[in-house]
PDB file of all heavy atoms in Angstrom:
ATOM      1  N   ARG A  55      13.061  24.466  -6.026  1.00  0.00           N
ATOM      2  CA  ARG A  55      12.561  25.784  -5.633  1.00  0.00           C
ATOM      3  C   ARG A  55      11.035  25.846  -5.548  1.00  0.00           C
ATOM      4  O   ARG A  55      10.477  26.410  -4.604  1.00  0.00           O
ATOM      5  CB  ARG A  55      13.078  26.817  -6.647  1.00  0.00           C
ATOM      6  CG  ARG A  55      13.073  28.228  -6.120  1.00  0.00           C
ATOM      7  CD  ARG A  55      13.865  29.145  -7.043  1.00  0.00           C
ATOM      8  NE  ARG A  55      13.907  30.479  -6.474  1.00  0.00           N
ATOM      9  CZ  ARG A  55      12.907  31.339  -6.556  1.00  0.00           C
ATOM     10  NH1 ARG A  55      11.799  31.012  -7.197  1.00  0.00           N
ATOM     11  NH2 ARG A  55      13.001  32.537  -6.002  1.00  0.00           N
ATOM     12  N   LEU A  59       9.027  26.565  -2.096  1.00  0.00           N
ATOM     13  CA  LEU A  59       8.181  27.763  -2.035  1.00  0.00           C
ATOM     14  C   LEU A  59       6.756  27.391  -1.631  1.00  0.00           C
ATOM     15  O   LEU A  59       6.118  28.087  -0.826  1.00  0.00           O
ATOM     16  CB  LEU A  59       8.193  28.476  -3.393  1.00  0.00           C
ATOM     17  CG  LEU A  59       7.634  29.902  -3.445  1.00  0.00           C
ATOM     18  CD1 LEU A  59       8.316  30.811  -2.432  1.00  0.00           C
ATOM     19  CD2 LEU A  59       7.768  30.470  -4.840  1.00  0.00           C
ATOM     20  N   VAL A  62       6.839  26.531   2.260  1.00  0.00           N
ATOM     21  CA  VAL A  62       6.953  27.664   3.193  1.00  0.00           C
ATOM     22  C   VAL A  62       5.748  28.586   3.118  1.00  0.00           C
ATOM     23  O   VAL A  62       5.449  29.304   4.077  1.00  0.00           O
ATOM     24  CB  VAL A  62       8.260  28.458   2.985  1.00  0.00           C
ATOM     25  CG1 VAL A  62       9.473  27.558   3.193  1.00  0.00           C
ATOM     26  CG2 VAL A  62       8.317  29.139   1.617  1.00  0.00           C
ATOM     27  N   LEU A  76      18.618  27.067  -0.675  1.00  0.00           N
ATOM     28  CA  LEU A  76      17.306  27.727  -0.728  1.00  0.00           C
ATOM     29  C   LEU A  76      17.001  28.497   0.555  1.00  0.00           C
ATOM     30  O   LEU A  76      16.163  29.388   0.550  1.00  0.00           O
ATOM     31  CB  LEU A  76      16.208  26.705  -1.025  1.00  0.00           C
ATOM     32  CG  LEU A  76      16.306  26.068  -2.413  1.00  0.00           C
ATOM     33  CD1 LEU A  76      15.134  25.131  -2.665  1.00  0.00           C
ATOM     34  CD2 LEU A  76      16.369  27.131  -3.513  1.00  0.00           C
ATOM     35  N   GLY A  78      18.934  30.495   1.597  1.00  0.00           N
ATOM     36  CA  GLY A  78      19.559  31.781   1.306  1.00  0.00           C
ATOM     37  C   GLY A  78      18.910  32.468   0.126  1.00  0.00           C
ATOM     38  O   GLY A  78      19.398  33.482  -0.371  1.00  0.00           O
ATOM     39  N   ASP A  79      17.767  31.923  -0.328  1.00  0.00           N
ATOM     40  CA  ASP A  79      17.020  32.490  -1.451  1.00  0.00           C
ATOM     41  C   ASP A  79      16.059  33.540  -0.899  1.00  0.00           C
ATOM     42  O   ASP A  79      15.136  33.236  -0.147  1.00  0.00           O
ATOM     43  CB  ASP A  79      16.248  31.362  -2.153  1.00  0.00           C
ATOM     44  CG  ASP A  79      15.481  31.836  -3.379  1.00  0.00           C
ATOM     45  OD1 ASP A  79      14.650  32.769  -3.245  1.00  0.00           O
ATOM     46  OD2 ASP A  79      15.679  31.259  -4.457  1.00  0.00           O
ATOM     47  N   GLU A  80      16.286  34.801  -1.265  1.00  0.00           N
ATOM     48  CA  GLU A  80      15.523  35.897  -0.662  1.00  0.00           C
ATOM     49  C   GLU A  80      14.016  35.764  -0.878  1.00  0.00           C
ATOM     50  O   GLU A  80      13.227  36.020   0.040  1.00  0.00           O
ATOM     51  CB  GLU A  80      16.015  37.237  -1.213  1.00  0.00           C
ATOM     52  CG  GLU A  80      15.428  38.425  -0.478  1.00  0.00           C
ATOM     53  CD  GLU A  80      16.106  39.738  -0.832  1.00  0.00           C
ATOM     54  OE1 GLU A  80      17.259  39.709  -1.328  1.00  0.00           O
ATOM     55  OE2 GLU A  80      15.489  40.788  -0.597  1.00  0.00           O
ATOM     56  N   GLU A  81      13.590  35.378  -2.062  1.00  0.00           N
ATOM     57  CA  GLU A  81      12.150  35.258  -2.320  1.00  0.00           C
ATOM     58  C   GLU A  81      11.523  34.175  -1.442  1.00  0.00           C
ATOM     59  O   GLU A  81      10.445  34.366  -0.863  1.00  0.00           O
ATOM     60  CB  GLU A  81      11.894  34.928  -3.790  1.00  0.00           C
ATOM     61  CG  GLU A  81      10.399  34.846  -4.118  1.00  0.00           C
ATOM     62  CD  GLU A  81      10.120  34.401  -5.552  1.00  0.00           C
ATOM     63  OE1 GLU A  81      11.077  34.248  -6.333  1.00  0.00           O
ATOM     64  OE2 GLU A  81       8.933  34.199  -5.877  1.00  0.00           O
ATOM     65  N   ILE A  82      12.197  33.043  -1.335  1.00  0.00           N
ATOM     66  CA  ILE A  82      11.680  31.942  -0.513  1.00  0.00           C
ATOM     67  C   ILE A  82      11.650  32.350   0.961  1.00  0.00           C
ATOM     68  O   ILE A  82      10.661  32.105   1.670  1.00  0.00           O
ATOM     69  CB  ILE A  82      12.521  30.669  -0.726  1.00  0.00           C
ATOM     70  CG1 ILE A  82      12.183  30.067  -2.101  1.00  0.00           C
ATOM     71  CG2 ILE A  82      12.271  29.651   0.378  1.00  0.00           C
ATOM     72  CD1 ILE A  82      13.037  28.878  -2.497  1.00  0.00           C
ATOM     73  N   VAL A  83      12.712  32.973   1.416  1.00  0.00           N
ATOM     74  CA  VAL A  83      12.771  33.389   2.815  1.00  0.00           C
ATOM     75  C   VAL A  83      11.692  34.424   3.116  1.00  0.00           C
ATOM     76  O   VAL A  83      11.018  34.352   4.160  1.00  0.00           O
ATOM     77  CB  VAL A  83      14.169  33.923   3.172  1.00  0.00           C
ATOM     78  CG1 VAL A  83      14.165  34.537   4.569  1.00  0.00           C
ATOM     79  CG2 VAL A  83      15.207  32.806   3.105  1.00  0.00           C
ATOM     80  N   LEU A  84      11.492  35.375   2.227  1.00  0.00           N
ATOM     81  CA  LEU A  84      10.440  36.379   2.430  1.00  0.00           C
ATOM     82  C   LEU A  84       9.073  35.722   2.575  1.00  0.00           C
ATOM     83  O   LEU A  84       8.281  36.084   3.451  1.00  0.00           O
ATOM     84  CB  LEU A  84      10.413  37.373   1.264  1.00  0.00           C
ATOM     85  CG  LEU A  84      11.317  38.590   1.386  1.00  0.00           C
ATOM     86  CD1 LEU A  84      11.339  39.369   0.082  1.00  0.00           C
ATOM     87  CD2 LEU A  84      10.855  39.509   2.530  1.00  0.00           C
ATOM     88  N   GLU A  85       8.795  34.760   1.723  1.00  0.00           N
ATOM     89  CA  GLU A  85       7.511  34.058   1.789  1.00  0.00           C
ATOM     90  C   GLU A  85       7.387  33.301   3.106  1.00  0.00           C
ATOM     91  O   GLU A  85       6.325  33.300   3.738  1.00  0.00           O
ATOM     92  CB  GLU A  85       7.385  33.095   0.606  1.00  0.00           C
ATOM     93  CG  GLU A  85       6.018  32.431   0.491  1.00  0.00           C
ATOM     94  CD  GLU A  85       4.886  33.428   0.295  1.00  0.00           C
ATOM     95  OE1 GLU A  85       5.084  34.470  -0.368  1.00  0.00           O
ATOM     96  OE2 GLU A  85       3.772  33.158   0.824  1.00  0.00           O
ATOM     97  N   ALA A  86       8.470  32.660   3.523  1.00  0.00           N
ATOM     98  CA  ALA A  86       8.463  31.918   4.783  1.00  0.00           C
ATOM     99  C   ALA A  86       8.209  32.853   5.964  1.00  0.00           C
ATOM    100  O   ALA A  86       7.406  32.549   6.856  1.00  0.00           O
ATOM    101  CB  ALA A  86       9.791  31.179   4.959  1.00  0.00           C
ATOM    102  N   VAL A  87       8.891  33.990   5.977  1.00  0.00           N
ATOM    103  CA  VAL A  87       8.764  34.935   7.084  1.00  0.00           C
ATOM    104  C   VAL A  87       7.380  35.576   7.107  1.00  0.00           C
ATOM    105  O   VAL A  87       6.821  35.828   8.182  1.00  0.00           O
ATOM    106  CB  VAL A  87       9.884  36.001   7.015  1.00  0.00           C
ATOM    107  CG1 VAL A  87       9.650  37.117   8.025  1.00  0.00           C
ATOM    108  CG2 VAL A  87      11.240  35.343   7.259  1.00  0.00           C
ATOM    109  N   ARG A  88       6.820  35.820   5.947  1.00  0.00           N
ATOM    110  CA  ARG A  88       5.444  36.346   5.909  1.00  0.00           C
ATOM    111  C   ARG A  88       4.483  35.375   6.598  1.00  0.00           C
ATOM    112  O   ARG A  88       3.548  35.784   7.276  1.00  0.00           O
ATOM    113  CB  ARG A  88       4.984  36.565   4.464  1.00  0.00           C
ATOM    114  CG  ARG A  88       5.578  37.777   3.787  1.00  0.00           C
ATOM    115  CD  ARG A  88       4.885  38.071   2.470  1.00  0.00           C
ATOM    116  NE  ARG A  88       5.589  39.109   1.734  1.00  0.00           N
ATOM    117  CZ  ARG A  88       6.360  38.886   0.674  1.00  0.00           C
ATOM    118  NH1 ARG A  88       6.507  37.655   0.216  1.00  0.00           N
ATOM    119  NH2 ARG A  88       6.976  39.882   0.071  1.00  0.00           N
ATOM    120  N   ILE A 101      21.479  36.021   4.712  1.00  0.00           N
ATOM    121  CA  ILE A 101      20.132  36.540   4.973  1.00  0.00           C
ATOM    122  C   ILE A 101      20.050  37.157   6.371  1.00  0.00           C
ATOM    123  O   ILE A 101      19.283  38.102   6.587  1.00  0.00           O
ATOM    124  CB  ILE A 101      19.074  35.430   4.801  1.00  0.00           C
ATOM    125  CG1 ILE A 101      19.009  34.974   3.327  1.00  0.00           C
ATOM    126  CG2 ILE A 101      17.698  35.904   5.265  1.00  0.00           C
ATOM    127  CD1 ILE A 101      18.437  35.989   2.361  1.00  0.00           C
ATOM    128  N   ILE A 107      14.208  41.744   5.505  1.00  0.00           N
ATOM    129  CA  ILE A 107      13.617  40.496   5.989  1.00  0.00           C
ATOM    130  C   ILE A 107      13.440  40.537   7.503  1.00  0.00           C
ATOM    131  O   ILE A 107      12.397  40.144   8.038  1.00  0.00           O
ATOM    132  CB  ILE A 107      14.469  39.288   5.556  1.00  0.00           C
ATOM    133  CG1 ILE A 107      14.237  39.027   4.059  1.00  0.00           C
ATOM    134  CG2 ILE A 107      14.137  38.050   6.384  1.00  0.00           C
ATOM    135  CD1 ILE A 107      15.130  37.974   3.446  1.00  0.00           C
TER     136      ILE A 107
END
Side-chain angles (χ1 to χ4, degrees):
R55 201 168 183 281
L59 193 55
V62 300
L76 294 184
D79 183 304
E80 189 169 339
E81 182 185 355
I82 286 175
V83 172
L84 272 172
E85 187 61 34
V87 171
R88 285 191 189 105
I101 294 291
I107 285 173

